[in-house]
Amino acid sequence: MKIDSKVTSRFAHNVITSRAVNRGNVAKEVFFDVELPKTAFITNFSMTIDGVTYPGTIKEKEAAKKQYEKAVSRGQTAGLVKASGRKTEKFTVSVNIKAASKVTFELTYEELLKRHFGKYEMFIKVKPKQLVKDFEIEVDIFEPQGIAELEAEGTFITNELQNTIKKTFSGKKGHISFKPTLDQQRTCANCSQTVLDGDFTVRYDVKRTTPDNLQIVNGYFVHFFAPTNLPNLSKNIIFVLDTSGSMSGRELEQTKEAMLKILDDIKEDDFFNFILFDSEISVWKETLIRASPENLDEARKFVRQISAQGLTNLHGGLMRGIDILNAAHEQNLVPKRSASIIIMLTDGQPNVGISNTHEIEEAVKKAIDGRYTLYNLGFGSGVDYGFLERMALENKGLARRIYPDSDAALQLQGFYDEVSNPMLIDVELKYPENEISDLTTNSFKHFYDGSEIVVAGRFVDSNQNHLSVDVRGEGADDALLYTTQQDAEQTAQAFQEQQYIFGEYIERLWAYLTIEQLLEKRITATGEEKENLTAQALALSLMYKFVTPLTSMVVTKPEEDDNEEGIADKPTEASPVHHTYASPPTWYTSVDGDPHFIISVPQKKDAICFNINENPGMILNLINDPVTGITVNGQLIGDKRENSDAKIQNSYFGKLGIANKHLDVKLTVTPETITIQNGDEKTVFTWLDSVTLQQEGLTLIINRKKNLVLSMGSGVSFVVVLHQVWKKHPLHQDFLGLYTLKSDKLSEQTHGLLGQFFQPIDFTILEIHPGSDPKKPDATMVVKNNELTVTRGWQKDYRRDPKHGIDIPCWFVHDNGAGLIDGVHTDYIVSSLF
């Protein structure tokens, strides 16, 4: 396995090559499984098997999807999927390799390295999952300004491996290599496990004799601007913090921990304030306050006593923060030359005051009016990230996910550190309009110490070889006015000694940056403007062969009978979980949530879903087997009060009755208790108990506050998942989910809303076409001699992860499963739990 990176002027071109040979005497499946930085675009993939190369082709997403769906309809599965992690996206492809055959995988991706805290950072995920005979990382860096410092480190590097990292740099060139031997990769002397599992990070910076650097090559230019010797501006910062009930516990404690650390870092020239929002809005002070030692001490006391309760009036909190900033500027309480910033943190969605996100966006944009920068931090998975991102981008800021892990406080603090040292406000880089076409963003609200502004463009005349630029911005002491000039000859001279330049790197850098910015603008655009931005970004993605959120890569894999399709997509942060089109690892039927039914169809490696919308109090027959005597019924509960915004009121299973007539056993499960009635004997457990109970024909395991597993009679098993919501939640209450395992142990006469699907069911999908939701195509399903309109979507499976669940792709049947279930859903209403 070789990872080869070539960095030219911050633009990284990375090639991962993996070669494998099947030394066995039977065919084996080989996996190529890598994780890439989220900021990267894949540009190429191929696999070569016994000398024959199978290339990937990059297509417009819908065209790629149609090609893929054709393969699905032929019963072939995807070999190539993408999923998203904290910093990375996963790329996986598998292929069957005959005995004694060889395969080579080659994946290419590119990215522009961003400067953070004074260094460019390149991140390589190292996870070969086995010992590799020849493993190598090689990084070559060429920077015309000269390299000032270069370092490399790995989270998995032991003392023994430290010496295997070779690092050299001088002048404009830097080189890093990491080539551990087979023995150095072992976890211990005779172990077969690999120690290579973690992050390999390269950091460097360039020499800066001037505030900027301009490069011109073949009709394109790139301009890097990063002054280093300016004083910091003072800042006016408002923290708008969600203190609703859902923040209680670890999330609030981590937020408070981060705020206390931030208060240690705030400078005496800065002004600050705290706004807290739950059902009500509360403020620490009525105005912005200078960060004097006394005021900081008082602020620490305020932070320590913050508690969480109530709903989420996000709109009220933000508007109060904006009002306080407006008043501070109008009354000249803050320096004229200072940077004003709002940092808003929430873990949920607005549900009191104004809760319509579109109205909130409009009100906030109008109130800020381009004067301040808004940064939105979304804590955990309960946020509407798309809304937070749109609102931040409309107000010259950005959104960031805060992952609810043990390091959440460090994540919050790290974000603050990035924006804590503004040097310039209202920065504009001006280029001669008549000479430049297709310029990337060239005006910026703030420039922060340790970062860098990058602008690229295309000349009207591709032969032009000279450029003059004016840079303007407001600094702490005075306005910055700066002019820089560059000739193509100067760039050419700088590059003469560079052997490993790849292709037209400035042109590709320009394309990368342009696509990135078009996609960002598209987030906040609507109507015709959005269509134009989409068309431009798509055209460039196809021209430069980038896998972006608008394109997909289709890989045709060789198979014994026929070619098999795989598809790779680029996830976005607002929808990080992507179709993996992968089959669930085990097949079972289930009902969970409000209540949604998932019916596995193993022979299709697919699933069918439907919902039942029925009134709270109703009892539904889920499983009824007259041969084994096993029945399962479920009683619906609703929300605590009707949700006036919802067209259909939510209902969930609040009570399950599982009975075995032959054993004379009845099990009643609620979100509070588990009751076993065995003849005349009754035993009651709560979800706080951890229990393993075995008696004739029955095994019960209660996993405290999580789930229970019940096996009975013929070997059929049920898993009941407990869903606990916040006790003071205004709407939702605790409920249950049911998963049936080993349903083949029940008889062919089994029926019920779930039971009827324990026998194999066949269906055919025809005419896949766009639906009302662009992410979810519609199709015609032929099942049980009925033609139904179905929608491709996902349902949550909580069996293994009760909190977050995993997404199961499925074909959704509308109207209470009409045409799929026998009869109509009301036929399954019964009068009692047993």
Side-chain angles (χ1 to χ4, degrees), residues 326-372:
N326 286 344
H329 282 277
E330 283 160 15
Q331 296 163 25
N332 294 320
L333 296 176
V334 294
K336 190 166 170 35
R337 282 208 176 100
S338 56
S340 292
I341 297 166
I342 300 168
I343 295 179
M344 192 274 290
L345 170 77
T346 183
D347 77 330
Q349 298 179 32
N351 55 18
V352 69
I354 295 179
S355 56
N356 180 306
T357 54
H358 182 65
E359 283 180 41
I360 296 173
E361 283 173 48
E362 286 194 339
V364 168
K365 187 178 179 183
K366 189 177 174 187
I368 288 180
D369 196 23
R371 290 168 296 182
Y372 320 128

Side-chain angles (χ1 to χ4, degrees), residues 516-689:
E516 193 178 59
Q517 291 177 359
L518 287 169
L519 292 171
E520 194 172 271
K521 286 177 187 160
R522 184 173 165 263
I523 291 167
T524 57
T526 53
E528 195 177 334
E529 185 195 2
K530 185 165 191 164
E531 285 173 21
N532 290 339
L533 291 166
T534 302
Q536 289 175 56
L538 174 60
L540 282 174
S541 299
L542 291 170
M543 182 190 289
Y544 290 95
K545 294 186 166 51
F546 285 133
V547 177
T548 69
L550 303 175
T551 53
S552 296
M553 181 185 288
V554 178
V555 179
T556 304
K557 303 197 303 175
E559 292 295 328
E560 290 296 311
D561 309 317
D562 207 342
N563 284 346
E564 188 176 315
E565 303 287 353
I567 193 165
D569 288 333
K570 173 97 179 151
T572 60
E573 194 58 62
S575 55
V577 179
H578 236 70
H579 307 355
T580 62
Y581 296 108
S583 52
T586 52
W587 298 101
Y588 48 85
T589 56
S590 66
V591 56
D592 211 329
D594 54 346
H596 55 250
F597 291 70
I598 302 178
I599 310 303
S600 296
V601 187
Q603 65 272 31
K604 294 280 190 188
K605 293 192 176 172
D606 212 337
I608 304 174
C609 304
F610 61 93
N611 286 4
I612 297 293
N613 298 311
E614 199 41 84
N615 293 326
M618 289 297 174
I619 300 171
L620 298 172
N621 174 235
L622 302 175
I623 299 165
N624 180 19
D625 181 5
V627 176
T628 62
I630 291 172
T631 61
V632 182
N633 295 327
Q635 184 168 23
L636 296 170
I637 55 169
D639 284 332
K640 292 174 186 173
R641 59 178 172 79
E642 283 201 0
N643 182 357
S644 54
D645 296 337
K647 288 180 188 165
I648 298 171
Q649 298 304 316
N650 293 325
S651 56
Y652 314 87
F653 281 111
K655 189 183 277 191
L656 292 170
I658 304 171
N660 187 323
K661 203 161 60 180
H662 299 339
L663 296 174
D664 195 15
V665 170
K666 293 176 182 173
L667 191 84
T668 308
V669 187
T670 73
E672 291 78 39
T673 59
I674 300 105
T675 305
I676 301 176
Q677 181 125 14
N678 199 338
D680 295 327
E681 274 181 48
K682 188 190 270 190
T683 313
V684 181
F685 301 103
T686 75
W687 284 99
L688 296 172
D689 297 320

Side-chain angles (χ1 to χ4, degrees), residues 216-234:
I216 302 167
V217 176
N218 296 343
Y220 291 83
F221 78 88
V222 62
H223 187 192
F224 301 104
F225 176 72
T228 51
N229 52 356
L230 299 174
N232 287 341
L233 284 160
S234 66

Side-chain angles (χ1 to χ4, degrees), residues 16 34-38 40 42 87-91 107 109:
I16 301 176
V34 294
E35 291 183 50
L36 314 174
K38 278 185 180 178
I42 291 172
K87 285 170 74 175
T88 60
E89 293 160 0
K90 196 169 187 167
F91 178 102
L107 178 73
Y109 64 94

Side-chain angles (χ1 to χ4, degrees), residues 693-724:
L693 178 74
Q694 284 185 306
Q695 54 191 61
E696 188 184 339
L698 180 141
T699 303
L700 172 70
I701 300 167
I702 300 173
N703 296 306
R704 188 175 186 271
K705 291 170 98 173
K706 195 175 176 186
N707 61 27
L708 69 81
V709 183
L710 175 71
S711 303
M712 52 168 52
S714 57
V716 66
S717 295
F718 304 102
V719 178
V720 179
V721 173
L722 172 67
H723 294 275
Q724 289 186 307

